Amino acid sequence: MQILGAGKKPVTVVLLVSSAALLVACGGTTVFSGKAPVAVVGALPPPPPPPPPPPPPKPPEPPPKVVVKDNKIEITEKIQFEYNKAVIKPESFALMDEIGGVIKKNPHIKKIGIEGHASSEGDAKHNLKLSDDRAKAVATYLVEKGGIEKERLDAKGFGSQRPIVDDSAKAVKGKSKEEAEDLHEKNRRVEFNILEQDVTKKKVSVDATTGKETVLEEKTHAVKNESPEVAPADDKKKDDKKDDKKKEAAKDDKKDDKKAPPPKKK
């Protein structure tokens, strides 16, 4: 390039040095067309950090221990009591709290029958009272610790009158101690039966195009289930004895029929 100076003489300026100086600020090696590579002083920026790993999946929630089904509040664990006492063990407090929470979440349940049951071991009268005391202990816990209205609970004991399995002396005869105890343990339990609840019935219209539901009519009515009566332990023993006597009498009649000689032919 020629530039006319003050004395009007051509001045040649080489711009290569200026171009090279500009390249110092850049990093890496730059190759110009038709020129030798030019090394540039300076470090390249570090690569970006890798993305953080995704959070671990949440563990599945354990299945509920208390479920409302039809006319029952079912529990998957047993309420534990101290031996021969109506005192709830601390390891059952969490279960009791869950039972109270389920009752609170279902205000349509108006009345619950808390039933205490016992095995056939021991004195029937003692078992009837113990099962009744345990049912009442459960109701007291739900009222005092769970905040459930007292009027919604009806606690009764049934002793060994309503067993799940036969654990009588005849049933456990010939079984090992562990097998017999397993039968007895199945009958020691507390059950929750829904005695009264509000049932809501709706008449709904469904739009065939959008699938939207419109409630045309809604009615709520109370449904009651009778609480079973408790038979006195002494009366139950009398009834059992009567049944045993009837069975024995029937056996004796059969034996007599077999012993009797056939009638003579005339």
Side-chain angles (χ1 to χ4, degrees), residues 38 42 48 61 67 121 143 148 174 197 228-229 242 247 258:
V38 178
E61 294 185 1
V67 181
E121 283 184 301
V143 172
I148 306 301
Q197 60 180 322
E229 295 296 328
K242 288 180 181 178
K247 289 179 182 178
K258 289 180 180 179

Side-chain angles (χ1 to χ4, degrees), residues 15 80 128 152:
L15 298 178
Q80 300 295 328
L128 181 61
R152 297 176 68 186

Side-chain angles (χ1 to χ4, degrees), residues 19-32 35-42:
S19 300
L22 291 173
L23 292 175
V24 174
C26 302
T29 302
T30 304
V31 179
F32 294 96
K35 301 292 181 178
V38 178
V40 180
V41 179

Side-chain angles (χ1 to χ4, degrees), residues 1-5 8-15:
M1 177 182 290
Q2 292 182 348
I3 300 175
L4 297 178
K8 296 182 181 180
K9 292 182 180 181
V11 179
T12 302
V13 180
V14 180
L15 298 178

Side-chain angles (χ1 to χ4, degrees), residues 69-87:
K69 289 186 177 180
D70 297 330
N71 296 329
K72 282 182 172 290
I73 298 177
E74 295 185 358
I75 55 177
T76 59
E77 292 183 6
K78 293 183 67 173
I79 300 173
Q80 300 295 328
F81 296 90
E82 292 185 11
Y83 176 73
N84 208 25
K85 294 181 181 179
V87 179

Side-chain angles (χ1 to χ4, degrees), residues 224-263:
K224 294 183 179 181
N225 300 313
E226 292 184 1
S227 178
E229 295 296 328
V230 184
D234 293 339
D235 291 348
K236 185 177 183 297
K237 282 186 175 181
K238 291 177 182 178
D239 293 338
D240 292 341
K241 287 181 180 179
K242 288 180 181 178
D243 292 338
D244 292 338
K245 287 181 179 179
K246 287 180 181 179
K247 289 179 182 178
E248 290 177 2
K251 288 181 181 178
D252 293 338
D253 291 340
K254 288 182 180 179
K255 288 179 181 178
D256 294 339
D257 292 340
K258 289 180 180 179
K259 291 179 181 178

